[in-house]
Amino acid sequence: MAFFKIEKTNFYHENSLLSISDLVTWKKKRNAYNFKSLPETAIIALKKNVFSKQIHPFMKRIKGLLGTHYKYNSKFLLCCEFGIGASSIVLLLEELKELGVKKFVFVGVAGILDDLVNENNPFIISSTYSSTGSSYFYDKNELLKSYNKQWYNHIKQVCNLLEQTAWSTDCPFRETPSIIDYYKTKGCGLVDMECAGVYAFSQYYKIPAVCILIGADRLSKAKWQEPKSFSSLLNTQRKIVKQLLNKI
């Protein structure tokens, strides 16, 4: 990423040749979307089964966006199955923002780096260290935080969450001992693939966005340890989603 090391660059103040507004306008002309407007708040998960308690056969499914998306009443958009990693979620966030969504909550799972963090514990991510390439296209900083403190505190209170610092990576199969130790010295208790993208996007556009992660597999020992209960992890995600839908 040598370009981002150039001291005198106007990159972060330049407009992109391919803009999201142009893309959305083009898709609207092609009648790609089956809706006129979207709810103000999007709740995002990676897998559809996180929303299985809310989705029913008569619920309107949104068309025109990559992934699987549903309107839940008039207040919420439920988003999933769009891919994994920072680049995938940022592409979704860009389009949702352009289509009128104003607030975002991401609910995901993460690897555990800290021995004091237990599997299936949910945390609100106060800050994340980035080693994901896509985040640097929005923010040059390695350490990223949620932009809107009021939205952050509201979600924290509604879901009764403890805070945690995370590390986001593009390459889960290159989580070597040396790089894990490096981010542990930074205070990171969890590792995921999406949070840095979400928070860099949030900072760049000054849009409220919060990440919630549940501890899953463990990388704090000499050898990787798989999650003990996938059903428990799924139920915790579903519980968080239910709290969000009922209280925000």
Side-chain angles (χ1 to χ4, degrees):
M1 303 294 284
F3 173 81
F4 293 102
K5 296 180 181 179
I6 300 173
E7 291 185 8
K8 294 182 179 180
T9 174
N10 198 41
F11 173 78
Y12 291 104
H13 302 286
E14 294 176 325
N15 293 323
S16 174
L17 294 185
L18 171 62
S19 71
I20 188 61
S21 60
D22 289 343
L23 181 63
V24 167
T25 298
W26 175 70
K27 291 177 73 171
K28 286 181 176 179
K29 288 179 180 178
R30 296 175 58 245
N31 296 315
Y33 303 120
N34 66 337
F35 55 87
K36 291 185 178 180
S37 63
L38 292 178
E40 185 178 273
T41 302
I43 299 175
I44 304 170
L46 296 181
K47 298 298 182 181
K48 183 179 177 180
N49 57 5
V50 174
F51 300 125
S52 61
K53 301 293 185 181
Q54 287 77 36
I55 296 171
H56 56 75
F58 302 104
M59 181 176 288
K60 182 174 182 177
R61 180 172 174 177
I62 297 300
K63 295 181 180 179
L65 295 164
L66 180 63
T68 304
H69 313 279
Y70 295 90
K71 273 189 177 182
Y72 182 84
N73 298 330
S74 60
K75 288 182 60 178
F76 299 101
L77 182 68
L78 307 180
C79 303
C80 57
E81 303 294 343
F82 52 87
I84 62 173
S87 59
S88 292
I89 199 167
V90 164
L91 287 174
L92 175 64
L93 294 174
E94 282 275 8
E95 194 163 2
L96 293 180
K97 174 191 69 69
E98 186 64 23
L99 290 165
V101 179
K102 301 183 185 305
K103 297 177 181 179
F104 301 91
V105 182
F106 171 65
V107 181
V109 297
I112 299 170
L113 302 180
D114 188 337
D115 287 331
L116 299 178
V117 174
N118 294 321
E119 180 181 333
N120 207 35
N121 280 4
F123 297 92
I124 190 167
I125 303 305
S126 59
S127 57
T128 183
Y129 284 88
S130 175
S131 60
T132 65
S134 58
S135 78
Y136 288 99
F137 284 83
Y138 292 86
D139 196 299
K140 64 183 178 180
N141 295 308
E142 180 189 18
L143 180 62
L144 300 159
K145 297 184 178 183
S146 175
Y147 167 72
N148 188 298
K149 201 65 178 177
Q150 184 177 359
W151 180 241
Y152 175 90
N153 288 333
H154 181 53
I155 301 300
K156 178 183 176 183
Q157 182 179 8
V158 161
C159 298
N160 191 27
L161 296 167
L162 296 176
E163 295 183 328
Q164 186 58 260
T165 300
W167 158 46
S168 293
T169 178
D170 284 334
C171 298
F173 301 112
R174 291 299 296 153
E175 294 171 315
T176 66
S178 61
I179 198 167
I180 288 174
D181 287 344
Y182 171 79
Y183 284 107
K184 285 173 71 174
T185 63
K186 299 285 190 179
C188 299
L190 298 168
V191 56
D192 84 313
M193 298 180 68
E194 289 81 23
C195 285
V198 174
Y199 281 177
F201 170 90
S202 173
Q203 290 286 350
Y204 183 80
Y205 286 112
K206 297 178 172 51
I207 288 178
V210 166
C211 293
I212 298 170
L213 295 178
I214 295 105
D217 53 326
R218 184 172 293 278
L219 295 98
S220 60
K221 306 295 184 182
K223 185 179 179 181
W224 174 76
Q225 296 176 358
E226 70 275 14
K228 296 176 182 177
S229 175
F230 283 100
S231 60
S232 295
L233 290 172
L234 178 57
N235 287 335
T236 300
Q237 291 176 83
R238 288 172 172 171
K239 178 183 175 182
I240 294 294
V241 168
K242 184 177 179 180
Q243 290 173 323
L244 293 169
L245 293 174
N246 289 340
K247 297 181 180 180
I248 67 172

